[in-house]
Amino acid sequence: MKPRHDQYVYRHANGLCVIGLAPSHVAFKDEGGITAIDFNVGKSDRSGVKVTGKRKKNAQHFESNTALCKVSTKNDSYIVRCCVKGSLLEVNQQLIKQPELLNASADREGYIAIIMPKPADWLKIKASLVSFEEYKKLREVS
Amino acid sequence: MEQKAEEEVSNAFPPSFSSSDLKQLLHSLPSNALNHFFSLGVCVRCILRLFGIKGPIYASIDNGSVENPVDSTASNETKLCNVCLGILQFRFYDDREKRMFQKDAAYDVALLIADMVRQEGYQFDSFSLEVSIPPLILQKEASLWSYIQTKYGSEPWFQEKIHTGCVSIKDALKFSLINPLEKLLDCKSSWCPFRIRLTYTHTKASEGVAKCSDNGGSCKRRKTDESDSTGERPLSSSVENGSFDCSKLFPKSENEPCHFTYNCFRTPFYFGGRYLKYSRNVSQTCWIIDDERMGEASVEEIIGIKVLQACRGDNYKFHAAGREDIDVRMLGPGRPFILEVQNTRLVPTEQFANNIEKMINEEENKLVRVKNLKLVGSDGWNLMREGEGEKQKQYAALVWTSRPLKDEDFQQVSSLKDLKVVQRTPIRVLHRRSPLEREKIIHWMKMETVAGSSQYFLLHLCTQAGTYIKEFVHGDLGRTHPRYDKNLRLMQCLMAKMSGTHTNLLVTALF
């Protein structure tokens, strides 16, 4: 991960992970904030896949460093990565029409995607993630 | 069909039969056929069956005193019958006692069965006999019957019998055993939940039994226009053309007695009622993950264990019309449920159901309450289905909101009627449910203030069945939203900004 490309991983008790941009991500520092989002990165358009059924058929399997989408500001664009190895269950389609959700509430309605890791894969990646408390200290956010 | 066979037991013959009566009966049958059957190694009860004779005569015959009426030689009863392989001669290998049995009269077999029933300790005022015959024997029956059809088809006595057909082995066995069992168990036989099951099996698997099923033995016929009012099964239309070599009819290799096992059981009883759940730490069904119980108890166990113990059943199944989360209370009229109890030793009554209801409601910890507990039949299931799908459900939710409430909020919320919302599968269940968008209707809402707070309020709402209430209130990261954008801003204001946990949203079901 590039420096200052801060992202969050919210893990529910059932194992599902919500991925999004942390408040200290460089994109937010650009004037005007984020203006667009594009899920068509890597080999496929992430917003096009239809996952169905209890077994989550058709879900794509990604590594933690796989590109999830690209967010653009007035002058620049940044790659957002999965952070967690697992199946991509859904991306937040609302962002395509309303990218301002990322600026207004990146931690809620501006979430980017939901990924389902296998229990073993979660244990492996957990160590390289930073807890909320540590994050606050590192970024000097209250 | 089984019901009819039992009814005919008392109609067909006078109850007591002597051996001379049997002789007389045999003499009245066509002697050429009779002699031929004897020479084929068919036992006396099978012969009576083939001639379509019914009734308690089967119970009265003593194997030791049967003679071949034509030439007065010893009967076939000492040899294993080629058709029923000893079933109707009361010769079998008893799987329970693990030894061979050879009884002379139906009464002796009935004794074995009655002893077993007494040991099992069931309460009953009637019994229903079920019999299972190996396909091999049904096949032999079919072969014999088609043979008889070809050989005697043209004879007048046979033409008369075509409509009545022969009596199946099952029915003949029932004719044999029901009277003695009624005497020994001191009650009548009838169609009832208490079942006595007799199972015969044979070690020689049979080939090509596609045509014969367990039902009604060999004497089957494709249904014609006339309704068959007798208790028998009509003829088979599968005529074997080809060899009528008698020695091929009954291969010696199959000539072994059957294995016999018998047991009794009760068909399930169903209790219906409604439950209320007062605790926010009790799940609906037993919830255990990795040997650890979630919550302190479950509704199904609180109700099921009491009922099971009271009727002395084997196990229970809990069926509820819908469900609520572990941390949601269930009040109001209560949620309908049906509790299925299997193999009860006692017979539950209405009074019994009332007593159990009292017992559950008088529990100290008052986690769950039961209303209107009673015995239900198949109509119970219809009530359940109704309780699930179309109904409207009413809830109350204690909600915290990040900005203080204004009077307009209360009015705007009350003005929304039949609000359409779209709910994507909530994240908290997305791991085990399909990712779908479900459109639901919020019929009405009403906000109520909470004393001493401008940011807490009580939200009363009435929604379509299947609506995720928690997600409707907090929005689930925007994945639940109103269908029409003009309502969006209002709903966004109302949706509580959670500080991380969900303790700020408490839901109660009130239907």
Side-chain angles (χ1 to χ4, degrees):
Chain A
M1 298 284 283
K2 286 193 177 150
R4 297 284 159 170
H5 281 48
D6 297 340
Q7 291 178 223
Y8 66 72
V9 175
Y10 290 159
R11 185 171 189 270
H12 192 281
N14 61 20
L16 297 187
C17 297
V18 178
I19 313 295
L21 300 181
S24 54
H25 195 285
V26 281
F28 295 123
K29 300 205 171 58
D30 284 5
E31 195 195 321
I34 296 174
T35 52
I37 187 167
D38 185 9
F39 283 103
N40 198 355
V41 295
K43 291 183 187 152
S44 63
D45 186 346
R46 315 311 189 200
S47 67
V49 183
K50 280 259 167 285
V51 175
T52 55
K54 276 189 208 170
R55 302 262 169 258
K56 315 297 182 275
K57 215 169 71 151
N58 296 340
Q60 291 176 293
H61 301 285
F62 290 140
E63 299 292 326
S64 54
N65 61 356
T66 311
L68 190 50
C69 65
K70 188 172 69 178
V71 294
S72 310
T73 58
K74 198 157 79 164
N75 302 316
D76 231 329
S77 70
Y78 308 86
I79 295 286
V80 176
R81 302 200 181 263
C82 291
C83 297
V84 176
K85 175 179 171 183
S87 312
L88 180 65
L89 297 190
E90 80 176 48
V91 300
N92 189 356
Q93 307 260 2
Q94 284 295 104
L95 294 178
I96 300 175
K97 281 184 245 142
Q98 295 180 282
E100 60 271 16
L101 286 171
L102 282 160
N103 301 315
S105 71
D107 63 333
R108 303 198 63 79
E109 282 81 7
Y111 80 96
I112 294 189
I114 302 179
I115 293 185
M116 182 167 76
K118 293 204 185 85
D121 291 333
W122 167 253
L123 290 173
K124 280 191 214 141
I125 198 78
K126 198 171 144 178
S128 60
L129 300 174
V130 150
S131 79
F132 190 47
E133 295 305 319
E134 287 174 58
Y135 165 79
K136 284 196 282 194
K137 280 201 206 109
L138 284 168
R139 293 288 179 249
E140 286 144 3
V141 177
S142 63
Chain B
M1 278 299 134
E2 290 164 279
Q3 201 166 6
K4 286 197 173 153
E6 282 151 23
E7 279 166 12
E8 273 159 351
V9 165
S10 43
N11 297 340
F13 276 92
S16 59
F17 249 87
S18 67
S19 56
S20 56
D21 291 323
L22 175 63
K23 248 185 174 169
Q24 230 177 344
L25 174 61
L26 291 175
H27 270 296
S28 70
L29 301 171
S31 57
N32 59 339
L34 187 61
N35 210 25
H36 189 44
F37 295 154
F38 265 101
S39 70
L40 282 176
V42 180
C43 72
V44 65
R45 288 185 191 81
C46 279
I47 287 175
L48 293 179
R49 288 195 305 115
L50 292 170
F51 286 104
I53 291 165
K54 304 181 233 178
I57 179 166
Y58 290 89
S60 316
I61 299 171
D62 185 299
N63 291 349
S65 58
V66 178
E67 278 177 7
N68 182 333
V70 179
D71 57 10
S72 290
T73 55
S75 75
N76 282 333
E77 304 319 305
T78 46
K79 290 174 290 175
L80 198 67
C81 173
N82 274 319
V83 185
C84 69
L85 295 182
I87 291 180
L88 292 177
Q89 295 170 299
F90 314 127
R91 281 175 68 165
F92 48 82
Y93 181 83
D94 186 332
D95 279 337
R96 277 178 159 255
E97 305 279 330
K98 302 234 186 295
R99 60 185 181 93
M100 280 295 303
F101 271 84
Q102 198 165 338
K103 301 287 182 194
D104 275 345
Y107 186 85
D108 303 316
V109 180
L111 258 178
L112 283 176
I113 298 172
D115 276 342
M116 177 274 299
V117 169
R118 264 189 283 272
Q119 272 173 28
E120 294 293 320
Y122 284 84
Q123 172 198 12
F124 58 93
D125 54 12
S126 182
F127 67 90
S128 180
L129 202 57
E130 290 180 350
V131 181
S132 172
I133 307 281
L136 171 66
I137 292 183
L138 303 174
Q139 191 187 31
K140 290 156 94 60
E141 177 99 348
S143 317
L144 177 61
W145 189 253
S146 355
Y147 168 76
I148 292 175
Q149 258 181 305
T150 7
K151 190 168 171 74
Y152 297 110
S154 50
E155 309 232 354
W157 60 261
F158 189 80
Q159 313 241 321
E160 195 190 316
K161 291 262 180 268
I162 283 201
H163 287 289
T164 52
C166 71
V167 174
S168 71
I169 294 187
K170 272 193 203 178
D171 287 342
L173 192 62
K174 288 185 182 180
F175 286 135
S176 308
L177 291 172
I178 283 180
N179 277 358
L181 276 174
E182 285 182 338
K183 286 202 194 77
L184 287 166
L185 298 175
D186 198 21
C187 66
K188 286 273 167 235
S189 145
S190 71
W191 185 251
C192 69
F194 183 61
R195 306 284 164 89
I196 300 176
R197 186 167 187 92
L198 312 179
T199 311
Y200 290 90
T201 51
H202 201 268
T203 48
K204 298 266 185 288
S206 58
E207 316 98 26
V209 273
K211 288 203 178 89
C212 303
S213 77
D214 213 319
N215 226 353
S218 62
C219 314
K220 275 194 177 146
R221 169 169 66 184
R222 312 226 191 304
K223 286 234 162 101
T224 60
D225 293 336
E226 312 100 65
S227 59
D228 191 36
S229 59
T230 65
E232 300 155 325
R233 294 288 178 166
L235 289 173
S236 166
S237 61
S238 60
V239 178
E240 286 175 13
N241 41 7
S243 90
F244 294 108
D245 183 356
C246 301
S247 61
K248 285 206 183 137
L249 257 185
F250 303 127
K252 284 262 184 300
S253 58
E254 292 171 347
N255 219 326
E256 258 176 43
C258 296
H259 283 244
F260 178 48
T261 183
Y262 42 101
N263 65 330
C264 56
F265 61 93
R266 180 123 43 210
T267 51
F269 270 97
Y270 298 90
F271 289 88
R274 284 177 181 259
Y275 74 83
L276 284 82
K277 181 159 85 85
Y278 297 112
S279 164
R280 289 193 188 276
N281 198 19
V282 170
S283 56
Q284 191 192 65
T285 54
C286 183
W287 189 13
I288 296 180
I289 298 181
D290 292 334
D291 289 339
E292 209 187 302
R293 177 188 284 280
M294 303 287 130
E296 71 181 271
S298 71
V299 176
E300 80 165 348
E301 286 167 292
I302 290 174
I303 301 176
I305 290 178
K306 277 269 180 330
V307 174
L308 190 71
Q309 283 173 348
C311 355
R312 286 171 48 214
D314 280 351
N315 48 48
Y316 62 82
K317 284 188 196 158
F318 184 78
H319 312 271
R323 56 194 175 171
E324 67 281 335
D325 288 343
I326 186 171
D327 58 351
V328 173
R329 291 187 302 172
M330 179 72 234
L331 306 178
R335 188 183 293 281
F337 70 88
I338 287 184
L339 187 75
E340 180 185 331
V341 193
Q342 292 172 339
N343 212 5
T344 59
R345 300 304 189 280
L346 302 176
V347 179
T349 58
E350 286 307 324
Q351 185 56 50
F352 188 84
N354 290 343
N355 293 344
I356 300 180
E357 182 180 325
K358 257 201 219 107
M359 265 204 294
I360 296 173
N361 294 338
E362 278 161 14
E363 272 290 297
E364 262 179 39
N365 50 24
K366 301 261 182 269
L367 300 169
V368 168
R369 190 189 158 80
V370 171
K371 282 164 65 170
N372 304 335
L373 188 69
K374 56 184 177 159
L375 289 167
V376 293
S378 50
D379 52 312
W381 294 107
N382 296 335
L383 293 171
M384 288 274 291
R385 293 299 145 240
E386 276 174 35
E388 249 178 21
E390 276 90 4
K391 278 272 175 75
Q392 297 184 353
K393 308 281 173 113
Q394 209 169 316
Y395 300 88
L398 178 63
V399 183
W400 177 88
T401 182
S402 56
R403 71 150 173 82
L405 296 163
K406 291 181 267 197
D407 282 341
E408 300 97 76
D409 299 325
F410 288 74
Q411 278 155 18
Q412 279 182 307
V413 162
S414 300
S415 70
L416 290 169
K417 298 289 180 218
D418 292 330
L419 174 72
K420 285 206 175 83
V421 293
V422 176
Q423 301 195 295
R424 293 177 109 178
T425 306
I427 296 177
R428 64 185 170 92
V429 298
L430 186 54
H431 64 295
R432 59 177 169 81
R433 290 201 72 186
S434 295
L436 291 173
E437 279 197 352
R438 299 173 180 87
E439 186 174 289
K440 295 290 172 196
I441 298 180
I442 314 297
H443 294 292
W444 54 258
M445 288 187 280
K446 210 180 95 161
M447 283 166 59
E448 193 186 314
T449 52
V450 168
S453 168
S454 59
Q455 282 172 267
Y456 274 101
F457 65 94
L458 207 56
L459 176 67
H460 295 274
L461 57 157
C462 176
T463 71
Q464 186 180 351
T467 310
Y468 285 97
I469 303 300
K470 292 174 180 173
E471 276 70 18
F472 168 68
V473 175
H474 66 61
D476 196 32
L477 308 187
R479 295 167 75 258
T480 284
H481 56 270
R483 166 88 48 219
Y484 302 110
D485 281 341
K486 68 172 156 63
N487 291 315
L488 186 65
R489 186 160 305 157
L490 170 67
M491 295 315 299
Q492 279 175 343
C493 292
L494 285 176
M495 283 170 191
K497 294 261 193 252
M498 296 295 155
S499 56
T501 65
H502 281 246
T503 52
N504 292 343
L505 171 57
L506 295 176
V507 183
T508 297
L510 289 163
F511 49 87

